[in-house]
Amino acid sequence: MLEIRDLYAAVDGKTILKGITLTVNPGEVHAIMGPNGSGKSTLANILAGREGYRVESGSITWFGRDLTALPPEERAREGIFLAFQYPVEIPGVSNLYFLKAALNARRKHRGEPELDAMDFLALVKGKMADVGMDEAFLYRAVNEGFSGGEKKRNEILQMAVLEPTLAILDETDSGLDIDALKAVAAGVNRLRAPDRSIVLVTHYQRLLDHVVPDQVHVLAQGRIVKSGGRELALELEQRGYGWIEQEVAHEPLL
Amino acid sequence: MSDSVQQVEQLVGQEYRWGFVSPVEADTVPKGLDEDVIRLISAKKQEPDFLLQWRLDAYRHWLGLAEPHWSSAHYAPIDYQDIIYYSAPKTQDRPKSLDEVDPELLRTYDKLGIPLKEQELLAGVAVDAVFDSVSVATTFKAQLKKLGIIFCSFSEAVREHPDLVRQYLGSVVPPGDNFFATLNSAVFSDGSFVYVPKGVRCPMELSTYFRINARATGQFERTLIVADEGATVSYLEGCTAPMRDEHQLHAAVVELVALEGATIKYSTVQNWYPGDKEGKGGIYNFVTKRGDCRGANSKISWTQVETGSAITWKYPSVILRGDNSVGEFYSVALANHFQQADTGTKMVHIGRNTRSTILSKGISAGHGSNAYRGLVKVLKSAHGARNYTQCDSLLMGDRCAAHTFPVIEVKNPAAGVEHEASTSKIGEDQLFYCKQRGIAEEDAVSMIVNGFCKEVFKELPMEFAVEAQKLLQVSLEGAIG
Ligand SMILES: Nc1ncnc2c1ncn2[C@@H]1O[C@H](COP(=O)(O)OP(=O)(O)O)[C@@H](O)[C@H]1O
Ligand SMILES: [Mg+2]
C-alpha cells in the first residue's frame, strides 16, 4: 500500500534522504533503525507531509495514488498516523476535545457519522484502559505537563482511537521504563491486523523483543544500507552501527 | 452549531421580552457642541435641573482639557465640532432590506448563526416589526419589581428614580475624571441603570444583549449599577455580532458601586466594526469603566472579550476601598488586521486584606497591535493586600505586535504583589500536530486560540462563553496561512 521509490528529500533546503526505496504491504511491520542524524525522523515527517520537508525526486505512492499531492490533514484522514518523537503541548485544549475532533475528522472523511460526546467517551475510556492511562488524562490539556512516558502513552492512545491504516512510530520507545515500553508494545500489537501496517522507527532493538517485525532496515546517511529479518536488529544490538557505516563508506556512492 | 443557534434565539427572545424601546424623537440637534446644545439635550430628555447643572459643569471643565495621547494608539485628530451630539435614530438612510447590506457582514451573521430577523435589526434595516411579547415583558418586569430590582434605561431612571441617580451618578467616575469621561458627562445620551436592593440576589443575568434601541444610544452611553448591602448581580453587555453604526467615536462611561457584602459581575463582549482589512473605517472605542468596592467584603469582577473596534482604549478598574474586598479582571483582547487594542486595568488597594486578580490574554494577528496597560496600586492603609497578575500574549504571524506596560506602586511593605507574563507564538509544530491528527488548519487555529483563552472564558456566563468562542473563530479567519 505504501511504495517509496528512489526518494530524495530535503529539510530546509538541505538534502537529507538520498535515494530511499521501500515497500510496505498490508499487515506488515517494518522496523527502521539507524544512528542519530541518519534521517529517520526526516522520513517520518516526509510521509506525514510536514511543512519545510520537501521531496526533491523519486515518488511516494499510497494505494496507487501520489501521496505527496495530499496536504497533511488529508493524509491523516486517509489513515496515516505519526506518533511524534517529541509530542507537542497544546495548553487549554483538553485531551478529550482534541481526540474527539481528530476522530470525527477521520470519520467524516470516510462518510461515517460523527460520534457524539457519550459514544466517544465510552470508546476512549476503553482504549485508555488498554493503554494503562488514568481517565484523568482526558481532562488535562494535550500533553501539557505530561512526563516523557505519559506523552508517549498518549501518542499510543491517540493511535488506538484513530485506528490508522499506517502507523509510523518515531522513537516512541525512547526513554521509557519497562512498564511503559510494554504498554507501547501492547498498543502496537493490538493494532496489528491484516489490513494495517506499522513502521517502527527505533534506536534500540529492545522494542523488537515485544513487537516482532517482518523486516528491519538500517538507515545511514539518508539511505537504506541494509535490510533483513529481525536477526539484523540483534546483530546491530551486538555490533553497533559502526560496522555498517564502514561498509557504506566502502561502497561507491552511486 | 444548532445548539448555539438555539442559544442565540433564546437570547434574542429574552431581549425582546425586556422591551427597552425608548420613545423615538424625530428631530436632530445641529452639529457641534456648546452650552446651548447641552441645554437642548437636557430639555429634550426632560431632565431635572440638577442633571443639567451637572452636565454644564462637566462641559465647562472639558473645555480646559486636552485630548490625551499617551496610549500607543495612532489615529487622526477628532473634530469635536463635527459630531452630532443628539440625534434620533435615522430611518430614511437605513437599508430597506438585507439585500442592501454589505454581504461580508451577512456572511459573518450566518457564521454566528444569527436568525434573519435579528440580522435585520443588527444591520439597521428599517423594519417596522412589532415584537409582540408584551405579556412576557410584563412577567419579566414584574419578577424584578417584586424583588425591588430596578433595571431600566438611564433616561427612565432619571425620570422615575432621580434620587438614586443623583446619589450615585459620578460617584465612581467623577465628571472631571478624564477627557473622554468628561465629554460623556456633558453629553451622554442614554444607557442602562440597575439598582439591586439590600440582600437581594438578582435571579437572572441582566443583559443589554441585542437591545433593540442600542443604535440610538451608542455613542455616549452611560451605565450605572448599584448593588446595595449584601446584593448580588450579574450584568452582560454587548453583542457578538458586529453592529452597524454610523458613529466613529464611542466614549462610554460605566460606574459600578458595590456596598458592604455586595457582588457585581460585569461581562462584556465587544465586537464593533473594526475597519476593513486595510484598516479603513472602524470605531474608536474610548471607554471609562470603573467599579467601587465601597463596602467591606464586597466584590467586583470584570470579564471582557474584546474583538471589535479599530482602536480600543479600555481599562476597567476596581477601587478596593472596603476591607476584605475583592477585585477581578479577566480579559481577552484580539487585534487582527490593523486593529489597535490598548486595554488593561487598575486595581487600587485601599482597605485592609483587599485582594485583586488580573488575568489578561492578548492575541495579535495580521498587523494588529495589542497592549496591556495595568496599574496595581497598594496604598499605605492596605495592610495584607494581595495582587496576582498574569499577562499572556499570543502572536500569530510576524507582522503583529504585543506590548505590556505593567506598573506596580506599593506603599505598604506587607503587601504581596505577583506578576507573571508570557509571550508565545502559535507554533508551526502545534499546527502540524493538529493537522497530523486530521484536524483542518482553521479548526486547529481556533482550537489553539480558544485553549489560550480558556481561563478567561470560564469566567463568562455559559451562553456568552459559547458565543465568545465562535466569535474568536470568525474574527481570526484567514489570520494564518
Ligand atoms: N530543520 C532542519 N534543518 C537542517 N537540517 C536538519 C533539520 N532537521 C534535521 N536536520 C538534519 O537532518 C539530519 C537527519 O535528521 P533526523 O531525520 O532528525 O535524524 P534521526 O531522526 O535519524 O536522528 C540531521 O543531520 C539533522 O541535523
Ligand atoms: Mg529522530
Side-chain angles (χ1 to χ4, degrees), chain A residues 45 48 50-51 72-73 76-77 80-82 84 88-93 97-98 101-102 105 143 155 158, chain B residues 428-441 443-444 446-454 469:
Chain A
N45 282 314
R50 186 170 197 149
E51 208 172 300
E73 61 273 28
R77 293 172 200 157
I80 295 180
F81 178 91
L82 171 62
F84 284 56
V88 179
E89 301 188 359
I90 310 178
V93 177
Y97 184 87
F98 181 77
N143 293 323
E155 295 291 288
Q158 293 179 15
Chain B
E428 209 52 61
D429 54 344
Q430 285 177 327
L431 280 177
F432 177 62
Y433 193 63
C434 294
K435 288 195 230 172
Q436 211 304 303
R437 298 302 182 248
I439 297 165
E441 175 156 287
D443 295 341
S446 96
M447 189 186 276
I448 294 166
V449 170
N450 278 310
F452 174 76
C453 300
K454 188 177 191 171
Q469 285 192 23

Side-chain angles (χ1 to χ4, degrees), chain B residues 406-420:
Chain B
V407 177
I408 298 168
E409 289 174 22
V410 179
K411 300 270 161 56
N412 186 303
V417 177
E418 262 182 82
H419 181 95
E420 284 181 30

Side-chain angles (χ1 to χ4, degrees), chain B residues 126-161:
Chain B
V127 283
D128 333 285
V130 179
F131 298 99
D132 54 355
S133 31
V134 178
S135 60
V136 193
T138 315
T139 318
F140 180 79
K141 283 211 155 175
Q143 203 180 344
L144 288 181
K145 199 172 173 188
K146 207 160 69 193
L147 294 164
I149 297 171
I150 302 166
F151 178 33
C152 60
S153 73
F154 205 95
S155 308
E156 189 181 330
V158 170
R159 286 194 304 272
E160 308 288 327
H161 312 281

Side-chain angles (χ1 to χ4, degrees), chain A residues 81 93-107 115 120 123-125 127-128 133 137-138 142 153-163, chain B residues 433 437 439 447:
Chain A
F81 178 91
V93 177
S94 75
N95 234 354
L96 179 71
Y97 184 87
F98 181 77
L99 260 175
K100 182 164 166 261
L103 180 65
N104 279 334
R106 178 143 158 74
R107 290 181 66 95
L115 288 188
F120 179 74
L123 174 102
V124 75
K125 282 184 174 175
K127 303 283 186 184
M128 289 188 104
M133 265 174 96
F137 281 98
L138 280 180
V142 179
R153 272 186 210 249
N154 203 28
E155 295 291 288
I156 296 301
L157 172 67
Q158 293 179 15
M159 182 181 83
V161 167
L162 295 172
E163 299 186 326
Chain B
Y433 193 63
R437 298 302 182 248
I439 297 165
M447 189 186 276

Side-chain angles (χ1 to χ4, degrees), chain A residues 41 85 170-171:
Chain A
S41 292
Q85 185 173 1
D170 191 358
E171 297 206 30

